[in-house]
Amino acid sequence: MIELEGVPELIDPVMVAAFEGWNDAGDAASTAVAHLEREWKGEVFAALDAEDYYDFQVNRPTVFLDGGVRKITWPTTRLSVVRIGGEKPRDLVLVRGIEPSMRWRSFCNELLGFAHELGVELVVILGALLGDTPHTRPVPISGTTSDPDLARRMDLEETKYEGPTGIVGVLQEACTHAGVPAVSLWAAVPHYVSQPPNPKATLALLNRLEDLIDVRIPLGELPEDARAWQVGVDQLAAEDSEVAEYVQTLEEARDTAELPEASGEAIAREFERYLRRRDGAGPSGGHATAEGGDGPPGTSYRRDNPGGRTRPPKPPKAGTDDEESPED
């Protein structure tokens, strides 16, 4: 039985989750949840027992000094709550941790237990994948769900992914079977600059989350960090002719694929987003442009590579089978 002493009754709560590891290219997703926690001063109210879910030889604990006393921080998943004020206040339950090493079904059931006790109305899981997308273009964001009704109501793509999955996919399916509405938002991170951080991808995820749950998220220094990141990658690409040529190839493929999307409906959608954000220091750089779906046609996705890549491979020849779509 989950007991939540000290947690007040929540208002229209939404659970937003992200996990470090396989589904967190460039640390974009986990950084997005960390940003929400920091900007809204989230208060941690629960942590899962690390002994139940983590292999400490894979995710090692860390030692630190606190007033001269040595202490250990164990890898785990923590839950915090933040209240968004304004005319229509609501609460967010933030889940941030590491993809578990074992007992995934129990892990998901424990999180769903918290969601049930807190009256969570919607679960949004953030993820990021490596993709053949240029860093010079807006970050593609895909919104997917396993619920056909939810897909229609929230203008999302009903997932069709088949293949290996991570904790994001398992948690979404667990929510579906438990009758809890769940959505996954995926950012595509350029595979040739996969090292964290990637503030542009983080910003794009937060922009899409704003639209999805209809809240205004304080962005702090993220827009400036995103611009600085792109300038830095531009400079690196300019120093290597092969990289510059490869980026240009990706740009041409992306622009060609998106050309049919320049419809009146798509333009109106972007203008509505602009109007919703214009009264403040609106998000800039990395706007979400993929309104659901699995990214623009021709975009392939890869799982995160912890080692990263500083140099892109040669573009694959036509007819090769080296593509993967974002999962549920």
Side-chain angles (χ1 to χ4, degrees):
M1 178 69 178
I2 296 174
E3 297 182 3
L4 301 173
E5 296 181 3
V7 179
E9 184 174 352
L10 303 184
I11 302 172
D12 300 329
V14 173
M15 179 177 280
V16 181
F19 304 95
E20 299 174 18
W22 200 51
N23 295 148
D24 192 26
D27 290 354
S30 58
T31 301
V33 173
H35 177 86
L36 297 175
E37 195 172 44
R38 182 173 59 253
E39 290 295 322
W40 278 317
K41 298 178 174 56
E43 297 182 8
V44 175
F45 64 86
L48 305 191
D49 189 341
E51 292 277 353
D52 291 340
Y53 304 114
Y54 294 100
D55 179 348
F56 298 138
Q57 291 183 326
V58 176
N59 297 291
R60 293 186 178 273
T62 57
V63 178
F64 68 99
L65 291 175
D66 182 10
V69 179
R70 291 173 65 82
K71 295 184 178 181
I72 294 178
T73 299
W74 297 93
T76 189
T77 293
R78 294 178 173 83
L79 291 84
S80 60
V81 63
V82 299
R83 174 150 295 175
I84 306 171
E87 295 181 0
K88 295 173 61 179
R90 80 179 313 170
D91 294 304
L92 297 185
V93 178
L94 304 178
V95 179
R96 181 161 65 101
I98 305 168
E99 183 176 67
S101 307
M102 50 200 168
R103 303 184 69 227
W104 283 20
R105 285 177 290 187
S106 297
F107 180 88
C108 292
N109 287 337
E110 191 164 353
L111 290 180
L112 283 170
F114 282 108
H116 175 73
E117 289 295 318
L118 294 167
V120 167
E121 300 177 347
L122 174 70
V123 175
V124 181
I125 316 166
L126 307 183
L129 298 171
L130 300 180
D132 291 329
T133 182
H135 72 279
T136 52
R137 297 293 187 265
V139 177
I141 300 292
S142 301
T144 64
T145 180
S146 299
D147 186 333
D149 293 332
L150 192 62
R152 285 191 294 271
R153 284 191 287 111
M154 304 190 79
D155 195 16
L156 300 166
E157 182 77 8
E158 187 179 352
T159 181
K160 303 296 183 185
Y161 174 79
E162 295 179 298
T165 188
I167 193 60
V168 172
V170 172
L171 179 56
Q172 178 168 321
E173 288 308 304
C175 290
T176 300
H177 290 301
V180 179
V183 173
S184 296
L185 298 181
W186 293 95
V189 172
H191 65 82
Y192 57 91
V193 279
S194 60
Q195 299 88 342
N198 189 318
K200 186 172 181 179
T202 295
L203 181 60
L205 281 170
L206 293 176
N207 285 346
R208 186 67 176 90
L209 181 63
E210 275 190 325
D211 295 338
L212 187 71
I213 62 176
D214 193 24
V215 299
R216 176 62 61 92
I217 297 174
L219 297 176
E221 297 180 357
L222 262 179
E224 184 58 36
D225 291 344
R227 284 190 288 268
W229 177 87
Q230 181 161 326
V231 169
V233 179
D234 285 343
Q235 292 173 346
L236 289 174
E239 295 171 0
D240 189 315
S241 60
E242 288 189 25
V243 174
E245 182 180 353
Y246 183 65
V247 171
Q248 183 177 1
T249 300
L250 293 178
E251 289 173 338
E252 292 172 353
R254 172 76 177 273
D255 294 344
T256 300
E258 288 189 342
L259 187 60
E261 296 300 321
S263 63
E265 183 180 350
I267 293 171
R269 224 164 28 221
E270 285 300 315
F271 186 62
E272 287 173 1
R273 290 180 182 179
Y274 163 75
L275 291 177
R276 284 198 296 268
R277 298 189 181 113
R278 68 176 182 174
D279 52 42
S284 59
H287 289 274
T289 57
E291 193 75 18
D294 290 334
T299 301
S300 63
Y301 297 88
R302 300 181 176 85
R303 305 301 170 187
D304 194 5
N305 175 10
R309 271 197 288 198
T310 57
R311 189 184 188 87
K314 295 293 184 181
K317 296 180 180 180
T320 58
D321 185 15
D322 188 31
E323 296 196 352
E324 191 175 326
S325 299
E327 59 179 279
D328 35 6

